[in-house]
Amino acid sequence: MAQVDYIINCEFVLADANSGAIKNGSIAVKDGFIFDIFDSRSASVQYEAKRLINRESCLLIPGLINSHTHAAMTLFRGLADDLPLDKWLTEHIFPRESRLTPELIETGTLLACAEMIRGGTTGFVDMYFFEDIIADVVNDVGMRAWLGEGILNFPTPAFASGYEALKETQRLADKWKGHDRINIVVAPHAPYTCSEELLRLSSEMSEKNDYLVIIHVSETRFEVEQSKRERGITPVEYLDKLGLMSDKTIAVHCVHLFDNDIEIICKNNVTVVNCPESHLKLGSGVSPVIKILNSGINVTIGTDGAASNNDLDMFSEMGSASRIQKGINHDPSLLSASQCFSMATLNAAKALKNPLIGSLKKGASADFAIIDLDKPRLRPIYDPVSHIVNVVKDCDVRDTVVNGRFLMEDFSLLTIDWEMLLNKVKNVTI
Ligand SMILES: [Zn+2]
């Protein structure tokens, strides 16, 4: 009889966005990996488990992956709302960011991790400052992350220049090389905040070392108009010229795209991150997600930072992504629940080039979330995927597991001292 670390028995196990849920499903986990997924009523499956966990009224799903955020911006949540992006950034966010310290970054990141773990998010892609500190926090907390030190043309709270931020990227990549959860990516902030040389150097670093690149692209109409005015080409065309449109690129936003931009993104296998709630809240517009998807481009979902959303709830983000496209296109058949759930799981795994996450199968990383279904809002249940996208909220998540380790069990955070963190957050001033 095979020995495993634990078995969880659930009402439903959903292995991935495309397959149906297994009723009375169980999963067996060993050494951080999925050992088996099976029907718990099957007499032929027998394992010797060190622990048996009963989640009979629950739905177990692959962990959600937030493809774009600035985790520590939780500290700026609700600080300044109802403003256009440029005003919001230059008058409210940038001045406060200049006062960020490693201690504040640690607190803000921990707060984001607490929120994400509570919401069934097992991994996230981050672009911010002091990523050295962020990597330590994420490592301690036990989440999976792809972290990029923000590279900009002007001084950040962490570095005097973009060149130093690039150097830090290399240092962090060497430091965390081969780590099973922490990944370092190259993060030039945007075509309008980086010099041509910084963008070229970022591209070279990515090419030479096979590092992923995350960059904000064509978020606002103003940005695209400015690029056309100054260079005669769109931000996407400009980045393509500099070698920054490749299969290693994760292009965030892409709200304002021309047909040629979509062709470039498609031809180069760039992934697009849709952040629908941030796009709405900042009045940036609505990304042409249907057109992008129909071109065969890989699309994922991100919440963006908590200051422009204002939460890190991937369930509501999936719901928003779906509803916005149905509404603006006057077509309820568009962006189905399974498509949206794919964007938050399988498509993210593809973008991040990690086939062991995004779905649950034998040999995959044991990254999953368990949703408590015994709530008025969640019964009856006909189609678990429909519920995940259309009705589940982050507070419904009972357990969150990464690499087989429970980061939250039975609604209790296990790797974050919540009382201590709460006390710090209540007294934070920036
Ligand atoms: Zn962003």
Side-chain angles (χ1 to χ4, degrees):
M1 199 186 294
Q3 281 199 339
V4 296
D5 295 331
Y6 56 84
I7 287 176
I8 310 178
N9 296 323
C10 300
E11 184 173 340
F12 297 100
V13 170
L14 185 67
D16 63 63
N18 302 319
S19 58
I22 306 168
K23 180 105 170 108
N24 300 308
S26 294
I27 69 160
V29 173
K30 188 180 183 186
D31 299 330
F33 294 95
I34 308 280
F35 195 77
D36 198 4
I37 303 177
F38 53 98
D39 185 329
S40 45
R41 293 163 304 183
S42 164
S44 62
V45 186
Q46 285 189 333
Y47 292 113
E48 195 178 308
K50 290 177 199 154
R51 199 179 158 205
L52 197 61
I53 301 163
N54 176 18
R55 292 290 183 265
E56 275 171 7
S57 289
C58 294
L59 162 64
L60 188 147
I61 63 170
L64 303 174
I65 302 162
N66 187 345
S67 287
H68 181 65
T69 191
H70 311 278
M73 288 187 87
T74 46
L75 296 183
F76 301 138
R77 184 180 350 236
L79 172 87
D81 299 319
D82 313 321
L83 294 168
L85 181 70
D86 56 337
K87 217 174 159 144
W88 176 75
L89 276 176
T90 54
E91 291 178 19
H92 298 274
I93 299 300
F94 288 160
R96 283 186 172 82
E97 281 182 337
S98 69
R99 296 198 286 272
L100 280 171
T101 61
E103 292 72 30
L104 286 166
I105 290 283
E106 186 183 337
T107 304
T109 306
L110 260 179
L111 185 62
C113 289
E115 184 181 352
M116 287 192 277
I117 292 168
R118 283 212 168 278
T121 294
T122 50
F124 65 99
V125 183
D126 193 66
M127 176 204 282
Y128 214 50
F129 315 116
F130 298 105
E131 289 287 348
D132 192 20
I133 307 282
I134 295 167
D136 286 339
V137 170
V138 176
N139 188 31
D140 289 348
V141 159
M143 289 183 78
R144 199 178 292 284
W146 294 260
L147 308 172
E149 180 73 29
I151 299 163
L152 292 101
N153 236 353
F154 39 86
T156 69
F159 293 101
S161 73
Y163 301 101
E164 285 184 34
L166 262 168
K167 218 188 279 174
E168 174 71 352
T169 305
Q170 188 59 61
R171 189 187 74 81
L172 289 176
D174 293 338
K175 180 178 171 183
W176 293 97
K177 193 176 176 188
H179 194 274
D180 59 346
R181 288 178 295 102
I182 309 293
N183 310 272
I184 302 301
V185 303
V186 190
H189 177 265
Y192 64 93
T193 46
C194 290
S195 66
E196 192 171 319
E197 193 184 14
L198 280 177
L199 292 170
R200 273 192 203 283
L201 290 171
S202 298
S203 164
E204 280 170 26
M205 185 181 275
S206 157
E207 246 346 280
K208 193 174 141 211
N209 303 287
D210 211 20
Y211 298 153
L212 294 170
V213 176
I214 46 169
I215 183 163
H216 298 108
V217 185
S218 298
E219 182 174 8
T220 63
R221 203 160 43 193
F222 175 78
E223 173 196 339
V224 176
E225 281 167 1
Q226 189 184 38
S227 172
K228 291 195 88 165
R229 207 171 43 242
E230 289 175 5
R231 306 186 196 99
I233 49 177
T234 66
V236 170
E237 288 166 340
Y238 176 55
L239 292 175
D240 188 33
K241 231 179 73 181
L242 300 177
L244 266 174
M245 283 279 128
S246 82
D247 65 338
K248 292 184 272 294
T249 304
I250 298 175
V252 182
H253 302 310
C254 295
V255 178
H256 300 278
L257 296 180
F258 292 89
D259 286 350
N260 190 45
D261 295 335
I262 294 180
E263 258 176 52
I264 289 170
I265 290 169
C266 181
K267 193 178 72 202
N268 294 297
N269 292 318
V270 173
T271 287
V272 167
V273 185
N274 184 29
C275 306
E277 293 183 3
S278 173
H279 299 161
L280 287 184
K281 182 159 183 286
L282 294 174
S284 304
V286 172
S287 169
V289 173
I290 303 302
K291 209 169 171 183
I292 296 172
L293 277 172
N294 287 345
S295 305
I297 293 164
N298 188 44
V299 180
T300 64
I301 292 183
T303 58
D304 211 345
S308 62
N309 186 304
N310 286 359
D311 62 36
L312 306 177
D313 181 357
M314 283 291 288
F315 290 100
S316 78
E317 207 67 36
M318 286 188 282
S320 297
S322 172
R323 282 170 206 140
I324 291 164
Q325 293 300 326
K326 290 175 193 299
I328 63 152
N329 291 295
H330 307 274
D331 185 349
S333 72
L334 296 175
L335 225 50
S336 66
S338 70
Q339 271 180 302
C340 285
F341 187 45
S342 276
M343 287 157 80
T345 51
L346 286 166
N347 296 12
K350 188 178 170 194
L352 298 163
K353 304 190 189 302
N354 185 343
L356 298 183
I357 57 173
S359 64
L360 304 174
K361 55 195 175 207
K362 284 185 192 182
S365 296
D367 287 19
F368 54 85
I370 303 177
I371 298 158
D372 178 18
L373 295 172
D374 276 353
K375 297 194 170 182
R377 187 165 25 82
L378 298 175
R379 294 286 181 179
I381 180 163
Y382 300 104
D383 173 4
V385 180
S386 165
H387 264 34
I388 290 166
V389 172
N390 293 308
V391 62
V392 170
K393 294 180 192 296
D394 56 358
C395 58
D396 300 324
V397 175
R398 180 168 171 175
D399 311 272
T400 298
V401 175
V402 175
N403 265 1
R405 180 186 184 196
F406 279 75
L407 309 188
M408 177 168 74
E409 184 170 346
D410 221 358
F411 298 104
S412 292
L413 293 171
L414 300 186
T415 57
I416 294 175
D417 185 338
W418 173 239
E419 291 303 321
M420 199 168 84
L421 175 60
L422 187 62
N423 195 38
K424 264 193 195 170
V425 172
K426 280 179 171 175
N427 295 305
V428 106
T429 45
I430 301 179

